[in-house]
Amino acid sequence: MDLRQLAVVVAVAEEGGFTAAAQRLHTVQSTVSTVVRALERDLGTPLFHRTTHRVALTPAGEAFVPAARAALEAVERARAAISPVHGRVRLGLAPGLLLDLHRVLAAVRDAHPGLVVEVRQLTADSLGGALTESTVDLALGVADAGLGSVDSRDAAGKAPDPYTGKGFATPPDSGGGLVTSPLAGEELVLATAPGGSRSAPGDLSALSLVDFPNGWAIRDVVDRAFADRSVSLEADDLTAAVSLVRAGLAACVLPASAAARFPEVTVRRFAVPPLWQLTAIHREDPPAAVTAVLAHLG
């Protein structure tokens, strides 16, 4: 039994499924399944009941997960005791950008009790300016959403790799030495009412769509990917948007990890999927406090 196995089991339990856990851990579903099966063999008992739509903890899993979580937290505290990080990091991010922000902040707090993270919500096109003006220390956004890239393909016409960020431009150096670090990469999908095709149309102009307000990172990316679409409804909350989708009133373009949180809707994939590439922007040679936060984001 190793720490990686513990982290995988905890992720599956907290996310409610293998696919969602894989997205959280930036790996593939088959790897998560393999790790869990290997640990269950070692323990001699299943930790999860598997069903078509979700997984649930067995009695053994109910006993195991709190102990696994406590072991992971103890390791983080041990690491923090060796090289504690103190100070304050001002984190700027666009609305609706990081759905598991609470988990990131909890992990930073547990690993570095002396480190305070202040979260500031900014529009997608103001993140770079906030850094150059030193109103934030670290900014989170999406490539192709006002962060220096206006085209999802590089000079050779190649689409960027969603897992490495290759092909995305670095924000212009405004004298502050800004650096873009790619984080999680995934595809955008179309969420629709339950049932129907698993393929999304390339042209969304005929659909009734629910979208998010201007200034949200997802809105900026979808505006560029589907410039000819029309927005029928607007919601400033993910759950509210999905409730409209579930009722059959509209469809909604979402990152795959966001759509996976709602197994009751149908996820339809595009033949050429637009990319949702999270990025962190910071100054060159960031201080230890910023580096510590980056480590938990990556």
Side-chain angles (χ1 to χ4, degrees), residues 86-112:
H86 300 276
R88 186 177 303 269
V89 173
R90 298 163 299 170
L91 174 64
L93 72 164
L97 184 69
L98 198 61
L99 299 181
D100 58 351
L101 177 63
H102 61 290
R103 292 196 182 99
V104 172
L105 296 179
V108 172
R109 178 199 60 199
D110 292 343
H112 307 290

Side-chain angles (χ1 to χ4, degrees), residues 130-219:
L131 273 166
T132 58
E133 295 169 7
S134 296
T135 58
V136 299
D137 306 300
L138 175 65
L140 296 186
V142 181
D144 205 21
L147 302 183
S149 174
V150 296
D151 192 344
S152 61
R153 297 180 181 272
D154 62 18
K158 180 181 178 182
D161 182 330
Y163 300 103
T164 65
K166 184 178 180 181
F168 286 119
T170 300
D173 185 359
S174 58
L178 299 185
V179 175
T180 296
S181 299
L183 300 174
E186 56 184 301
E187 64 182 283
L188 292 179
V189 299
L190 184 68
T192 63
S197 171
R198 292 286 178 173
S199 298
D203 182 2
L204 303 185
S205 60
L207 296 180
S208 174
L209 294 172
V210 57
D211 215 326
F212 301 95
N214 288 320
W216 282 50
I218 182 63
R219 176 63 178 265

Side-chain angles (χ1 to χ4, degrees), residues 15 44-45 75 99 109 116 125 133 172 194-195 210 221 228 238 247 283 298:
E15 297 297 334
T45 184
V75 170
L99 299 181
R109 178 199 60 199
V116 176
D125 59 0
E133 295 169 7
V210 57
V221 173
D228 295 332
L238 178 63
R283 296 188 181 277

Side-chain angles (χ1 to χ4, degrees), residues 190-194 210 233 239-254 265-266:
L190 184 68
T192 63
V210 57
L233 299 165
T239 302
V242 173
S243 69
L244 296 171
V245 172
R246 188 168 45 240
L249 298 175
C252 186
V253 179
L254 294 169
V265 303
T266 293

Side-chain angles (χ1 to χ4, degrees), residues 11 16 42 64 68 76 82 86 102 122 126 134 136 146 190 206 214 217 225 243 259 262 270 273 288:
D42 289 345
F64 183 84
E76 290 299 326
I82 295 173
H86 300 276
H102 61 290
L122 304 170
S126 67
S134 296
V136 299
L190 184 68
N214 288 320
S243 69
F262 303 94
F270 298 97

